[in-house]
Amino acid sequence: MTLFATYFGSSGWLLQFEKIRVLVDPWLRGNLSFPPGPWLIEGKLTKTLDIPSDITIILLTQGLSDHAHSPSLDLFPRSTPIVGSISAIKVVRKLGFQSVFELRPGQIKTLDGLKIEATEGAAVPNLENGYLLSHDCGSIYIEPHGFLDQKIPPQKIDAVITPVVNIKLPFAGSFIQGKKVLPELIKRFQPLTVLASTTGGDSMFTGILNRFMSVEGKTGNPLDGLSSEANFIEPIPGILYKLKTHQGIS
């Protein structure tokens, strides 16, 4: 049994549990901006990857445009099952998707043998989702802003997908706190692999808000000093990574 991950930049991933292909928070085509407009902040892709095919499930952590990106979602058949947070499901319903499943933190949906458990994510400003994904071939925890649901019990998870830096705004504090949460993720989940997410990929950002962001972390291996033997991956977009599993080394 195999477990794979491919990074698409920003918060986007293709996760493969055997034949199940889960596309997470895709930003694949077009620009990205937030209300009230591009003058505040706008993202542009400097390189695009091929659109992934044969997607089993689209999984959305948030309803904001850098997670539920309408021009990217518009590329997929309306019959594609979508699991997402409350705000994300509002977006895909407007796009006409027919098989949608709204999950609140603590709720579980099983599709094609994949157990999807929603966890509390970031409040940006509404409470959004992280996910615990479990399958016979492996398990992955993913949350794009570095917010850990304290109600998740300690357990062994094969791979953790998380930001590894803090990003701050002077008037709002850290809206991404990957550096802060990483030690607790390691302690709670004992992952074999940590994959950096959210701040990578072939893109550039402009706008007033971008000028005030400050980044803390990302010098050397962020796992150094954390008493972890996990493999750290700073993923290259488009590269397929085969992930180790606890089952495979037991």
Side-chain angles (χ1 to χ4, degrees), residues 90-227:
K90 290 180 180 178
V91 173
V92 296
R93 282 186 172 139
K94 289 180 180 178
L95 292 173
F97 282 88
Q98 303 157 8
S99 181
V100 299
F101 305 94
E102 175 186 290
L103 287 187
R104 300 169 184 262
Q107 294 182 325
I108 295 172
K109 180 68 180 178
T110 300
L111 292 171
D112 294 322
L114 178 67
K115 178 183 175 183
I116 305 170
E117 180 178 354
T119 64
E120 287 188 5
V124 284
N126 299 314
L127 184 64
E128 301 286 0
N129 288 355
Y131 295 101
L132 281 171
L133 307 176
S134 304
H135 187 269
D136 287 345
C137 69
S139 57
I140 294 176
Y141 169 78
I142 184 168
E143 199 287 321
H145 278 229
F147 287 75
L148 177 61
D149 187 342
Q150 297 299 323
K151 294 187 290 296
I152 305 174
Q155 57 191 286
K156 287 186 177 181
I157 300 292
D158 296 319
V160 165
I161 298 176
T162 180
V164 295
V165 298
N166 298 341
I167 300 182
K168 300 179 180 180
L169 286 169
F171 48 86
S174 295
F175 64 96
I176 292 178
Q177 49 185 30
K179 181 181 178 182
K180 177 182 176 181
V181 78
L182 189 57
E184 192 168 359
L185 292 175
I186 295 296
K187 181 178 179 180
R188 187 168 299 218
F189 297 141
Q190 302 173 52
L192 297 175
T193 305
V194 173
L195 298 112
S197 186
T198 307
T199 58
D202 296 307
S203 60
M204 60 176 293
F205 286 86
T206 57
I208 293 175
L209 201 60
N210 189 60
R211 301 175 191 172
F212 293 98
M213 291 183 186
S214 61
V215 178
E216 179 185 0
K218 213 171 185 178
T219 56
N221 187 333
L223 302 185
D224 288 346
L226 295 183
S227 300

Side-chain angles (χ1 to χ4, degrees), residues 61 73 93 113 227 247:
T61 61
L73 294 169
R93 282 186 172 139
S227 300
Q247 182 180 355

Side-chain angles (χ1 to χ4, degrees), residues 10-12 24-27 31-36 40-41 59-73 84-92 95 121-129 143-145 147 175-176 198 209:
S10 190
S11 299
V24 183
D25 290 354
W27 176 24
N31 294 351
L32 186 157
S33 63
F34 301 87
L40 182 66
I41 187 168
L59 183 66
L60 303 176
T61 61
Q62 301 181 15
L64 297 174
S65 59
D66 55 333
H67 302 272
H69 186 242
S70 293
S72 297
L73 294 169
S85 66
I86 296 171
S87 62
I89 292 304
K90 290 180 180 178
V91 173
V92 296
L95 292 173
V124 284
N126 299 314
L127 184 64
E128 301 286 0
N129 288 355
E143 199 287 321
H145 278 229
F147 287 75
F175 64 96
I176 292 178
T198 307
L209 201 60

